[in-house]
Amino acid sequence: MAEEPSAKRHHAETSDKRRNLVDINVPGEKREYTRTLKGVELHGKETLEIVCTSEPDKADEVISRLWRKLGGRFHRIVGVGVHYTNKDEPPQMASVLQLCVDELCLVYHITAPTKWPKRLKDFLREEKLYTFVGFSIGGDKRMLEESGLEINPNNFIDMQCKWKDTKTNKYYDSLADVAGGVIHPFYEGMKRKMNRADHKLWGNSPLPNNLITYAGIDAYATYKSWKTIDNIVTGWDISKEQEADPYYHCNFVDEDA
């Protein structure tokens, strides 16, 4: 099982949590809050737990839960999403960072707190234990850097550059199209659940529930899409290896035997 950085000292440090915090200077409405949405409906019977917070301690707690989920997996994937403050009110920067593993999503409200935990930066800098995946990540990387955060560039996959529409052989224009194709048609409606006015509210604190829900589903769709694609590609690779092996034989079992 993957060992979480500083996990052995985490419980011992609870008496002085200020050691785990980093001063930041991010313009925005400063307000510490946490909102947890459970049972958010996805496709079929799938549901999602979304924890939206600007509190460093709460973010630490959820990051630890994400770590535990990653520990027992062969392919360790973290779905990433970033939303920005209103471009009509410069300077525009990252306002919300989403991190998703399986049915758990952290929506960290970057512009709301006055401090954030070191655990977040350590998590984002990881090189080998898991892989970050986003969609069209150029702007996300730039906006995160403006806010003082960086996801390890050597461990951050841009799904848009890695997967093509099998019918047209062209790269997808949106995450909704990818997720709608490889997961379920439910995700094709993601783009229609937000209007232009909503996109101006990412800097608001606290975030309204409809934005929290959208952010969580967005990160889940990224995570689940790449997990599905990774499984497909792995299956193809195994199939090619087996076909290239002169000792490989396809044995068909007679069910009536």
Side-chain angles (χ1 to χ4, degrees):
M1 180 174 180
E3 181 181 346
E4 179 181 357
S6 304
K8 293 181 180 179
R9 292 179 292 174
H10 178 55
H11 296 294
E13 293 174 351
T14 54
S15 61
D16 186 8
K17 294 176 182 176
R18 289 176 299 176
R19 294 179 183 176
N20 235 14
L21 304 180
V22 179
D23 292 322
I24 59 174
N25 181 20
V26 180
E29 184 180 350
K30 310 302 181 186
R31 181 175 178 177
E32 290 196 348
Y33 74 97
T34 295
R35 284 184 176 175
T36 301
L37 305 182
K38 295 184 178 182
V40 176
E41 294 183 357
L42 301 169
H43 64 287
K45 296 182 179 180
E46 300 289 326
T47 61
L48 183 66
E49 178 184 352
I50 308 172
V51 182
C52 178
T53 188
S54 64
E55 300 179 58
D57 290 344
K58 189 64 177 180
D60 261 350
E61 176 188 317
V62 181
I63 289 171
S64 293
R65 290 178 62 193
L66 293 173
W67 254 107
R68 290 195 292 272
K69 285 183 174 293
L70 286 164
R73 299 179 182 278
F74 180 70
H75 295 288
R76 298 181 180 130
I77 300 167
V78 180
V80 177
V82 182
H83 288 91
Y84 318 146
T85 55
N86 185 4
K87 65 180 180 180
D88 297 330
E89 300 175 5
Q92 187 183 31
M93 59 182 57
S95 175
V96 174
L97 169 65
Q98 305 109 259
L99 301 171
C100 183
V101 178
D102 204 8
E103 78 288 348
L104 176 64
C105 180
L106 169 64
V107 177
Y108 190 66
H109 201 165
I110 298 170
T111 52
T114 56
K115 293 179 180 290
W116 59 48
K118 286 184 179 179
R119 188 174 297 273
L120 176 62
K121 287 193 172 184
D122 291 341
F123 187 81
L124 298 180
R125 289 169 178 162
E126 179 55 46
E127 293 186 7
K128 298 180 179 179
L129 297 180
Y130 44 84
T131 300
F132 295 100
V133 180
F135 188 89
S136 187
I137 65 176
D140 294 351
K141 292 166 66 175
R142 185 176 66 256
M143 290 295 180
L144 283 174
E145 289 173 4
E146 290 289 333
S147 298
L149 291 174
E150 182 183 21
I151 294 176
N152 190 323
N154 299 319
N155 196 26
F156 196 1
I157 294 174
D158 190 341
M159 194 190 320
Q160 188 180 34
C161 300
K162 297 291 186 178
W163 187 251
K164 293 181 179 181
D165 186 333
T166 55
K167 296 179 181 178
T168 65
N169 200 35
K170 295 181 179 179
Y171 290 110
Y172 285 93
D173 293 325
S174 73
L175 172 62
D177 293 333
V178 177
V182 302
I183 308 176
H184 192 277
F186 166 84
Y187 298 95
E188 294 175 354
M190 287 172 55
K191 294 180 289 185
R192 298 189 293 272
K193 293 181 179 180
M194 289 274 288
N195 57 46
R196 291 185 179 181
D198 287 332
H199 283 290
K200 296 182 179 182
L201 303 178
W202 290 111
N204 288 14
S205 177
L207 282 178
N209 284 359
N210 68 315
L211 265 67
I212 295 173
T213 300
Y214 180 89
I217 293 177
D218 179 68
Y220 175 83
T222 302
Y223 165 81
K224 188 70 172 181
S225 293
W226 187 252
K227 181 181 178 181
T228 303
I229 291 169
D230 189 56
N231 287 338
I232 292 171
V233 173
T234 300
W236 284 344
D237 290 343
I238 293 174
S239 178
K240 289 178 181 178
E241 290 177 2
Q242 290 174 334
E243 290 177 1
D245 185 350
Y247 298 102
Y248 170 73
H249 301 282
C250 292
N251 295 316
F252 297 94
V253 178
D254 186 351
E255 295 181 357
D256 296 329

